[in-house]
Amino acid sequence: MYAKDYHDLGTPGATGENVTLEIDGATVSVPAGTSIMRAAALADRDVPKLCATDTLKHFGSCRVCLVEIEGRKGFPASCTTEVAAGMKVRTQSEALTRMRRGVLELYVSEHPMGSCPDSSRCELEHLAGEHGIGESRFAAPKTPRHVHTPREVDHSNPYFRFDNDLCIVCSRCVRACEETQGTFALTIEGRGLESRVAASQGEPFLESECVSCGACVEACPTGALLEKSVLTAGLPQKAVATTCAYCGVGCTLVAEVTDGAVSRMVPSRDGRANQGHACVKGRFAYGYATHPDRVTKPLIRKSITDEWTEVSWDEAINHAASEFKRIQAKYGRDSIGGITSSRCTNEETFLVQKLVRAAFKTNNVDTCARVCHSPTGYGLKHTIGESAGTQEFVSVQQADVIMVIGASPTEAHPVFASQMKRRLRQGAGLIVVDPRAIPLVKSAHVEADYHLRLLPGTNVAIINALAHVIVTEGLTREDYVAERCEKDSWEKWKKFVSDPVNSPEAVEQITGVKAGLIRGAARLYARGPNSAIYYGLGVTEHSQGSTMVMGIANLAMATGNLGREGVGVSPLRGQNNVQGSCDMGSFPHEFSGYRHVSDDSVRGAFEAMWKVSLSGEQGLRIPNMFEAALDGSFKGMYIQGEDLAQSDPNTSHVTAALSSLECLVIQDIFHNETARYAHVFLPGTSFLEKDGTFTNAERRISRVRKVIEPLCGLADWEVTMRLSNALGYPMSYTHPSQIMDEIAALTPTFAGVSYEKIDRLGSIQWPCNDKAPEGTPTMHVGEFVRGKGRFYVTAYVPTSERTSSRYPLLLTTGRILSQYNVGAQTRRTSNVAWHSEDRLEMHPHDAEARGIEHGDWVGVTSRAGDTVLRVEITEKVAVGVVYTTFHFPESGANLITTDNSDWATNCPEYKVTAVQVVKVAQPAAWQRRRQAALPASPRDKRTPAETMGN
Amino acid sequence: MDVEHLVAMANDIANFFDAESGKDRAPESVRFHMSRYWESRMRRAIIEHLQHKGGAGLSATARAAVEKLAQPA
């Protein structure tokens, strides 16, 4: 079912030269390759249809869309017939109506009028009504409702149900699963009247291969596949276009609202990033926004061992401000700081860093990108000149070779993964560099040409070996490099990578990857001609994270794979606004637009606009704040929308630091783990409750629009503003658009951005300024942002985190499709139906050696700590490697990760931890302590002990 | 600040620049990196470690970098 008020054009658009034809006497010009159906719809002469929808290729099965074409025999289907110059088409005639009525009556024999729970939005019933059909002459007399054998309704999926008896077997759902999502979970089984839609081998949807993206539900023209929320809610009164708050794809969604509550979320077909698609999180998992766990009243307490007291906004804000003032008076100006959030809007993030710099008068501000993509900023800035990905997502459709490094797009960026898989099905080559056999390595109609299954921590050795092959086999683009890169750095780098120490044969022992595979992958990447690299946290969250990002940029420059569509270096950002939070000046050394605080002219511009003197000395990063807290020189923090106690590594170290603070102010929608150490709790708002913008992984700035009123009464930006005013630094914005105007005035790459322009264009990719008034889809065209590209020598330095006889396995971490980050949102939705706990993946050989069986509880011990998880035996991980996710606080995944970090940015090395795994009968000591402590919420009471033996 | 941790960080930075800048220029590259990205408490602590604890644990490049860092601008 389409989004409210959506006008479906029947078939996808085309891109040929315009041709002119006549439809029902009206002159129409459309690109060659356009179907008659689409051309007619564009001219507001919609042809009736059932099996067609504009997100899917034409199918031509329903026989409802027949038209007449002058000079042609018969009645061609308008969906499968392309326009031609001078063509004259009739969409309405007595003959056409008679045929359509006949066909519709046959459909109605299977799907009687009024049988849909939401008949007003059933395309068949709507069409039949338009053709004056009340009931069918063809309904079987003994079984008036069903000619075929009825089946039970499948309610297994938590978000939608499948009623086979309402299905007209148009195959739109099957094609959506194939073409849009690329999962191939649905099929038509049976023949003739017994044909029916089946998930996998006729299994309930929940138990099938279905990933619950919802594409089939949206494609269904009847109520056969229908959201359960639609069954209970009435028709929507309004529809609001906004931007998803989950991963860095930044899907444009349409929220339908019934009686003040969201009744359905539908991906916008106008969304440039998602192109009409969404995933199980964005489309369905929005219920957290109104979960009973939401904190909606401000809370304060003197000590973290005290009970919380509910207070007014004024009391909470004034208490926080007076505490921060007291601490600064006692310990100095730099004894406090703030953390911005990648889950909040650009405007909110900008405001928090402004508060820290202008009201706190320090640069002690940082953001959660510290622990994910800070090496991306460092590595790309130094090599090519800008701290951002180079492409837009649609660029992948021009790629001939795709290299995915340290990312699992189908799990963490599923909507982009569907676009990528579409290109792979068309024949693009695929290289996967990952310790784990991610789903992309082999799935329906997709198989990697090369899977470089390296040992965790050896990325840089691999990238150097790939470069070695490309350089020594003469596969570089000398002309491109000569024109666009620094000569000296190029020569130095070539000499470095040519050294036999970097050959695939030499690094085989280090990486565990056969030299032949590396050589083959290098040749494939160099051959292109369009080769694109997509990477994730498996690149950045290492002690050599920044080095690896530089290595990736080196490889792309050396092969001429930057500066046009189909190529590039694209970091897949984990959270919805990681790019934006970095852009907005959240790092302690940079103002918005990545300009160092020590730059007098830049700082002067901010001082003039903000009417305050600013520090030119960079502040503390998050890990440094913890260190400073433990040495007693850092005493107060304002954290907006982050859960450091769960998301940051070496939890014991983090919580010791948080416990030492004299004032910790948390602003969040839930009582998170960090709130256990807080003195003031300021209720936050979800993305549904405010206006603003998010910037996705392709630098696309999209609007977030208020769908429902804030549950706590104030949007996050309003709370920050009040805190600033209480601290004595006045802020007086009345709408986030004014904050964006200030960002644009102070940030050259945002100079041309405004809400009016975003609304007009739909979205804007920065840089957007006089040189690029409507934004920049592809960066570094013609020349790099820094001028000449610079190659950096990237020597491989093994991490200090090594296996030993005591810790013989390497643990690496990642995400799963149905859950998101620390799970604060998705754990409070029905997504737990797919993933209700974090599990430890272990290879069968390692399990057998330890007497561990599938489903056992196992103790995982590292040099930093220990925890207990349930084990999953799988060959997705190699021998010697174990893997887990970090979505549930009771799993304590970060109790075992260490505080090793990237040399340049302090991004933690989440991806490499030496561990031992043994079978256990009870939870870890910390889990027992946690169980005994006051729970943050009823859900948090669960521990492995409570579920053992179930 | 945890000096042991700062020493490890300094050595990691030095490892990168030893290869990138060469042994001769690496100390200046490391100093520059510290001056751009390390907060003043961190810089003070590592300088103090060099001046009062002999810079124990620092690699040659890192030590040379901290010596440069300690010099008045």
Side-chain angles (χ1 to χ4, degrees):
Chain A
M1 186 193 304
Y2 316 125
K4 183 179 183 294
D5 303 329
Y6 182 72
H7 180 204
D8 185 271
L9 302 175
T11 60
T15 53
E17 293 290 314
N18 263 18
V19 296
T20 301
L21 68 158
E22 200 176 279
I23 299 177
D24 294 339
T27 301
V28 182
S29 285
V30 292
T34 302
S35 69
I36 291 175
M37 174 181 281
R38 185 179 178 93
L42 286 166
D44 283 330
R45 295 173 189 282
D46 292 57
V47 183
K49 59 184 173 54
L50 283 174
C51 72
T53 183
D54 59 16
T55 52
L56 303 174
K57 283 185 281 191
H58 58 71
F59 194 54
S61 77
C62 75
R63 315 311 295 170
V64 172
C65 72
L66 309 180
V67 292
E68 294 173 3
I69 302 174
E70 192 175 292
R72 290 198 193 181
K73 289 182 180 176
F75 302 90
S78 64
C79 63
T80 56
T81 309
E82 291 183 7
V83 296
M87 182 182 263
K88 292 186 176 177
V89 178
R90 289 180 71 191
T91 67
Q92 304 293 336
S93 72
E94 276 187 33
L96 287 170
T97 302
R98 194 167 52 248
M99 280 188 290
R100 287 173 188 154
R101 278 183 55 87
V103 172
L104 287 167
E105 257 192 283
L106 284 167
Y107 279 113
V108 170
S109 71
E110 282 290 286
H111 180 113
M113 298 297 280
S115 58
C116 255
D118 185 5
S119 292
S120 69
R121 292 200 279 184
C122 170
E123 290 178 47
L124 172 60
E125 293 190 34
H126 180 74
L127 213 51
E130 277 187 344
H131 285 74
I133 297 168
E135 54 185 50
S136 172
R137 291 169 291 158
F138 309 121
K142 288 185 180 174
T143 53
R145 168 100 189 258
H146 312 287
V147 177
H148 60 251
T149 314
R151 282 216 174 159
E152 277 189 23
V153 177
D154 180 353
H155 292 285
S156 63
N157 186 290
Y159 297 115
F160 62 84
R161 65 102 181 90
F162 175 55
D163 185 346
N164 181 66
D165 294 339
L166 300 176
C167 175
I168 58 171
V169 202
C170 65
S171 291
R172 268 163 64 164
C173 56
V174 175
R175 290 181 287 138
C177 191
E178 294 175 2
E179 295 175 31
T180 306
Q181 167 58 27
T183 293
F184 293 79
L186 302 184
T187 188
I188 302 291
E189 67 171 20
R191 302 179 69 179
L193 290 171
E194 292 300 324
S195 301
R196 66 189 74 219
V197 171
S200 293
Q201 303 299 311
E203 297 161 46
F205 269 80
L206 187 64
E207 293 164 28
S208 74
E209 294 154 298
C210 167
V211 293
S212 198
C213 69
C216 58
V217 181
E218 188 178 343
C220 182
T222 71
L225 281 159
L226 194 65
E227 293 93 342
K228 291 178 178 174
S229 62
V230 172
L231 289 169
T232 52
L235 286 173
Q237 288 103 26
K238 67 172 182 177
V240 182
T242 188
T243 304
C244 182
Y246 281 117
C247 78
V249 176
C251 296
T252 306
L253 303 173
V254 176
E256 293 183 350
V257 180
T258 305
D259 299 330
V262 177
S263 52
R264 193 168 76 123
M265 196 74 86
V266 193
S268 167
R269 298 190 183 191
D270 298 325
R272 283 284 294 174
N274 55 316
Q275 298 173 28
H277 193 31
C279 74
V280 64
K281 296 188 285 284
R283 190 191 294 259
F284 294 123
Y286 53 82
Y288 71 87
T290 49
H291 192 277
D293 283 354
R294 279 287 299 270
V295 182
T296 57
K297 302 286 184 191
L299 307 167
I300 62 172
R301 60 183 176 183
K302 270 192 172 173
S303 157
I304 60 173
T305 56
D306 291 345
E307 294 289 325
W308 288 105
T309 302
E310 200 173 293
V311 296
S312 68
W313 275 109
D314 282 346
E315 190 173 348
I317 296 281
N318 289 335
H319 178 70
S322 71
E323 278 295 280
F324 285 145
K325 284 180 185 171
R326 179 188 65 77
I327 290 168
Q328 283 189 306
K330 185 173 177 184
Y331 300 102
R333 199 175 59 184
D334 294 325
S335 61
I336 65 173
I339 307 295
T340 75
S341 173
S342 294
R343 295 185 218 179
C344 290
T345 64
N346 285 319
E347 294 75 6
E348 287 161 349
T349 302
F350 185 84
L351 225 53
V352 170
Q353 64 88 33
K354 180 177 179 179
L355 172 124
V356 172
R357 299 187 202 279
F360 288 1
K361 293 186 170 35
T362 174
N363 286 323
N364 289 335
V365 61
D366 208 356
T367 185
C368 52
R370 174 66 53 208
V371 301
C372 63
H373 268 290
S374 50
T376 288
Y378 187 90
L380 295 184
K381 181 88 175 175
H382 279 74
T383 47
I384 57 178
E386 193 56 276
S387 304
T390 61
Q391 309 300 118
E392 66 175 328
F393 287 142
V394 74
S395 161
V396 78
Q397 301 306 328
Q398 307 297 320
D400 301 303
V401 178
I402 297 167
M403 190 186 306
V404 179
I405 310 176
S408 184
T410 55
E411 293 173 296
H413 303 87
V415 171
F416 174 63
S418 292
Q419 297 174 27
M420 183 184 277
K421 286 196 289 187
R422 195 174 310 143
R423 183 60 184 159
L424 292 169
R425 291 198 301 276
Q426 291 168 352
L430 174 63
I431 301 162
V432 172
V433 184
D434 203 292
R436 190 164 164 264
I438 60 170
L440 264 188
V441 170
K442 191 170 185 182
S443 58
H445 302 284
V446 169
E447 186 164 3
D449 295 275
Y450 295 95
H451 177 200
L452 309 186
R453 195 173 196 171
L454 76 177
L455 279 170
T458 63
N459 281 339
V460 173
I462 283 281
I463 206 79
N464 289 343
L466 290 167
H468 176 91
V469 175
I470 287 168
V471 168
T472 57
E473 294 190 4
L475 304 175
T476 53
R477 279 280 309 276
E478 299 284 337
D479 54 335
Y480 178 96
V481 174
E483 182 190 342
R484 299 190 48 162
C485 302
E486 289 180 357
K487 189 169 185 295
D488 290 350
S489 71
W490 165 240
E491 296 298 337
K492 189 167 72 169
W493 178 77
K494 266 205 307 187
K495 187 178 171 198
F496 161 71
V497 295
S498 300
D499 190 322
V501 75
N502 290 315
S503 70
E505 291 72 21
V507 303
E508 194 174 297
Q509 287 299 311
I510 298 168
T511 63
V513 181
K514 296 286 184 196
L517 291 176
I518 299 177
R519 287 193 177 274
R523 290 166 191 151
L524 178 61
Y525 176 78
R527 188 187 72 200
N530 281 350
S531 295
I533 296 176
Y534 295 88
Y535 72 86
L537 304 182
V539 160
T540 56
E541 291 177 341
H542 286 276
S543 61
Q544 282 200 288
S546 292
T547 312
M548 181 60 181
V549 173
M550 290 173 167
I552 287 171
N554 288 339
L555 205 64
M557 287 191 289
T559 53
N561 278 309
L562 283 162
R564 65 182 184 279
E565 272 198 282
V567 298
V569 172
S570 299
L572 296 172
R573 307 281 186 165
Q575 299 199 57
N576 52 314
N577 203 34
V578 173
Q579 182 68 57
S581 69
C582 298
D583 300 340
M584 291 298 99
S586 294
F587 290 133
H589 64 285
E590 287 173 335
F591 289 117
S592 58
Y594 306 99
R595 293 159 301 159
H596 203 274
V597 293
S598 62
D599 184 320
D600 290 340
S601 65
V602 171
R603 198 171 66 255
F606 279 83
E607 288 176 330
M609 174 77 83
W610 292 353
K611 297 181 174 56
V612 66
S613 172
L614 299 171
S615 169
E617 166 71 35
Q618 65 270 16
L620 292 163
R621 303 157 168 171
I622 293 173
N624 313 143
M625 290 181 191
F626 296 147
E627 297 271 325
L630 290 169
D631 80 10
S633 65
F634 191 74
K635 292 288 186 182
M637 281 180 100
Y638 167 43
I639 302 175
Q640 183 180 73
E642 278 308 314
D643 191 0
L644 302 182
Q646 193 185 343
S647 64
D648 283 40
N650 196 349
T651 307
S652 307
H653 179 76
V654 173
T655 55
L658 293 173
S659 304
S660 73
L661 299 176
E662 292 186 8
C663 181
L664 174 58
V665 178
I666 296 292
Q667 186 175 357
D668 211 300
I669 60 176
F670 297 116
H671 265 301
N672 57 24
E673 292 298 299
T674 310
R676 294 171 185 275
Y677 307 93
H679 305 84
V680 180
F681 190 101
L682 304 174
T685 44
S686 73
F687 77 113
L688 293 172
E689 300 158 62
K690 58 197 176 189
D691 284 299
T693 57
F694 289 151
T695 306
N696 75 353
E698 37 166 18
R699 296 169 280 104
R700 185 182 302 285
I701 309 160
S702 301
R703 276 296 314 275
V704 176
R705 295 184 179 87
K706 186 160 77 172
V707 177
I708 57 176
E709 289 302 314
L711 268 58
C712 65
L714 295 174
D716 291 329
W717 61 272
E718 293 175 292
V719 176
T720 304
M721 204 167 72
R722 285 192 182 202
L723 181 58
S724 186
N725 288 332
L727 284 160
Y729 181 77
M731 291 187 187
S732 57
Y733 309 98
T734 56
H735 191 269
S737 62
Q738 297 164 345
I739 305 172
M740 179 54 81
D741 292 342
E742 184 172 314
I743 294 165
L746 287 167
T747 316
T749 46
F750 276 64
V753 178
S754 69
Y755 276 31
E756 179 278 322
K757 190 184 281 187
I758 298 172
D759 289 343
R760 180 160 45 85
L761 300 178
S763 60
I764 299 170
Q765 286 177 274
W766 68 260
C768 174
N769 46 34
D770 288 345
K771 286 184 186 169
E774 297 197 347
T776 311
T778 306
M779 290 192 80
H780 312 291
V781 177
E783 70 170 351
F784 292 108
V785 170
R786 74 185 298 277
K788 296 282 188 185
R790 178 171 174 183
F791 288 86
Y792 276 78
V793 170
T794 54
Y796 167 65
V797 180
T799 172
S800 59
E801 180 66 11
R802 306 203 183 151
T803 55
S804 64
S805 56
R806 195 170 174 195
Y807 304 108
L809 302 170
L810 282 179
L811 169 76
T812 190
T813 59
R815 299 176 182 199
I816 201 160
L817 172 66
S818 59
Q819 296 291 331
Y820 175 70
N821 216 33
V822 297
Q825 293 137 290
T826 45
R827 280 186 284 113
R828 291 179 170 93
T829 70
S830 296
N831 279 25
V832 292
W834 289 275
H835 186 82
S836 59
E837 62 185 0
D838 293 318
R839 294 187 174 193
L840 186 80
E841 291 182 2
M842 181 178 236
H843 191 275
H845 291 177
D846 290 326
E848 189 180 358
R850 290 165 175 76
I852 294 169
E853 293 182 4
H854 192 84
D856 281 348
W857 289 103
V858 291
V860 188
T861 307
S862 74
R863 294 180 180 95
D866 59 281
T867 191
V868 171
L869 295 162
R870 197 201 295 269
V871 77
E872 185 175 321
I873 312 291
T874 173
E875 292 187 6
K876 281 189 275 189
V877 289
V879 174
V881 177
V882 290
Y883 166 91
T884 191
T885 49
F886 57 97
H887 304 303
F888 291 81
E890 56 267 41
S891 303
N894 279 325
L895 265 161
I896 44 182
T897 51
T898 69
D899 50 14
N900 268 18
S901 66
D902 172 47
W903 65 269
T905 64
N906 274 155
C907 179
E909 190 172 46
Y910 289 108
K911 301 297 183 184
V912 190
T913 308
V915 297
Q916 177 58 293
V917 177
V918 295
K919 187 172 178 175
V920 295
Q922 63 176 357
W926 75 269
Q927 286 168 313
R928 295 197 298 272
R929 285 197 299 274
R930 187 177 193 280
Q931 187 181 10
L934 185 68
S937 76
R939 182 176 292 277
D940 289 339
K941 287 175 182 170
R942 292 185 305 117
T943 72
E946 292 173 311
T947 49
M948 272 185 193
N950 288 348
Chain B
M1 309 302 284
D2 180 348
V3 170
E4 200 176 318
H5 190 54
L6 294 178
V7 167
M9 285 170 62
N11 289 343
D12 287 345
I13 297 166
N15 277 335
F16 176 81
F17 285 111
D18 275 343
E20 161 56 28
S21 308
K23 293 277 184 190
D24 291 348
R25 289 164 51 197
E28 173 53 24
S29 298
V30 176
R31 183 209 65 80
F32 182 73
H33 183 92
M34 288 175 166
S35 69
R36 295 279 286 186
Y37 299 103
W38 282 29
E39 198 254 7
S40 58
R41 267 167 281 196
M42 299 164 71
R43 299 200 304 269
R44 275 201 304 274
I46 197 82
I47 291 169
E48 201 171 292
H49 176 67
L50 176 75
Q51 293 175 338
H52 301 297
K53 302 278 174 58
L58 286 170
S59 69
T61 298
R63 173 188 294 272
V66 179
E67 283 169 357
K68 284 173 173 283
L69 194 66
Q71 292 166 9

